[in-house]
Amino acid sequence: MVKNHGKAHASSSVNPFNGHLYLLISPKTFSAANVFAVTFKDNGLATLIGEPTGNQPSCYGDIFVFKMPHSGFQFTVSYKHFSRPDQRLTHETPLEPDIYVPTTRQDIIGGRDAQMEKLMEIITAAK
């Protein structure tokens, strides 16, 4: 990190990490976690393992909470649009993993985490 006028930013000449980064994703990956995964995938920072995410790569987020003065009903409205970093790629479908590893009915019944097993297989093979 380089400090400039009190603000820290990454220096292109400094690479503090030279390993491989993997992210596990699934249909339960949505909202901020989806934005995180999209950012890493579109910038080539990580390999994604698992199943397609729970929402599109570009989405709305951050909310205002409103309470109606007479009824007391409360509701929220998203006000910020998060755009996919790589505009050449689709915004219409969920984020796809680089390595597809589905969760089967037998995995759920047996308490097996197929995505974690695949990750451990990749890490072990790389040693």
Side-chain angles (χ1 to χ4, degrees):
M1 296 297 255
V2 176
K3 287 191 177 182
N4 184 12
H5 302 291
K7 296 180 181 177
H9 65 277
S11 169
S12 60
S13 64
V14 177
N15 185 0
F17 180 72
N18 62 2
H20 298 284
L21 184 62
Y22 300 94
L23 297 179
L24 301 179
I25 62 170
S26 76
K28 293 180 180 179
T29 305
F30 60 93
S31 194
N34 191 66
V35 172
F36 184 81
V38 168
T39 301
F40 274 70
K41 179 168 178 134
D42 282 7
N43 288 290
L45 300 172
T47 300
L48 277 58
I49 300 171
E51 299 174 90
T53 59
N55 63 281
Q56 292 82 7
S58 293
C59 60
Y60 284 89
D62 279 354
I63 58 171
F64 284 126
V65 178
F66 296 91
K67 185 173 183 178
M68 302 303 289
H70 298 293
S71 66
F73 289 140
Q74 191 171 335
F75 62 96
T76 60
V77 175
S78 295
Y79 69 92
K80 191 181 292 183
H81 187 259
F82 294 93
S83 295
R84 183 173 201 163
D86 191 339
Q87 294 292 304
R88 298 169 297 156
L89 300 174
T90 182
H91 298 271
E92 303 301 320
T93 59
L95 182 66
E96 295 288 333
D98 298 303
I99 302 170
Y100 179 69
V101 181
T103 299
T104 66
R105 183 179 311 149
Q106 291 302 343
D107 292 338
I108 295 168
I109 292 169
R112 178 176 174 252
D113 188 336
Q115 295 80 21
M116 184 62 79
E117 287 180 14
K118 183 64 175 179
L119 174 58
M120 296 309 293
E121 174 188 316
I122 291 168
I123 292 170
T124 302
K127 289 183 179 181

